Amino acid sequence: SLDIIEVAGEFKPVIVATLYFMLGHSLDLGWFREQINDYPVETHWDALAREAIRDELDLQHRTLSIGVLKTETHAKSIDTQINTWMEKHHSLVERWRHTLTEMRTLPAINYVMLSVAVRELSDLSQTTRQLAMG
């Protein structure tokens, strides 16, 4: 809920919350978060790495939510807003989805894979942010 409050700003909190969760579902961020949370921690450094990736995921989810809210303000519904945004960023969305699909086929996920995946999400969120700023 802190992420939603941080994103809300000029938008109604209920709209922000709905978009935040729908966008997360559309991009399968819940599954990705589970992979981060399930990452085995054997050392203090492993714990720090896992926390850093989880923080980065939260940051990218917030950035994406703000970007979608600011770039698609004339949509008739949140679902339409997200779909329009996904069409506009089709190639980056597909890269993200391909990354997740690849991860799902592997017997184990490691820190390197999580880092690369969150970087793919960062590319998507930064492109969205840049377009939203004009």
Side-chain angles (χ1 to χ4, degrees), residues 4-72:
I4 294 167
I5 291 167
E6 225 175 288
V7 170
E10 66 205 71
F11 302 97
K12 293 179 182 177
V14 69
I15 291 172
V16 174
T18 303
L19 184 134
Y20 181 89
F21 288 110
M22 288 177 72
L23 183 63
H25 178 74
S26 295
L27 296 174
D28 219 353
L29 299 182
W31 180 85
F32 186 61
R33 179 176 303 283
E34 287 174 23
Q35 302 317 297
I36 295 168
N37 289 335
D38 291 346
Y39 178 72
V41 174
E42 296 176 15
T43 69
H44 172 69
W45 292 103
D46 289 336
L48 291 174
R50 183 176 64 187
E51 186 63 32
I53 292 173
R54 193 172 27 229
D55 288 349
E56 186 66 20
L57 174 59
D58 291 341
L59 172 65
Q60 299 314 323
H61 195 172
R62 280 193 309 271
T63 302
L64 282 167
S65 298
I66 292 167
V68 172
L69 283 166
K70 289 187 175 188
T71 58
E72 306 297 338

Side-chain angles (χ1 to χ4, degrees), residues 63-89:
T63 302
L64 282 167
S65 298
I66 292 167
V68 172
L69 283 166
K70 289 187 175 188
T71 58
E72 306 297 338
T73 56
H74 302 297
K76 295 183 192 243
S77 71
I78 294 171
D79 195 43
T80 301
Q81 192 169 353
I82 291 170
N83 288 334
T84 301
W85 169 81
M86 290 178 99
E87 289 171 16
K88 189 180 288 186
H89 299 281

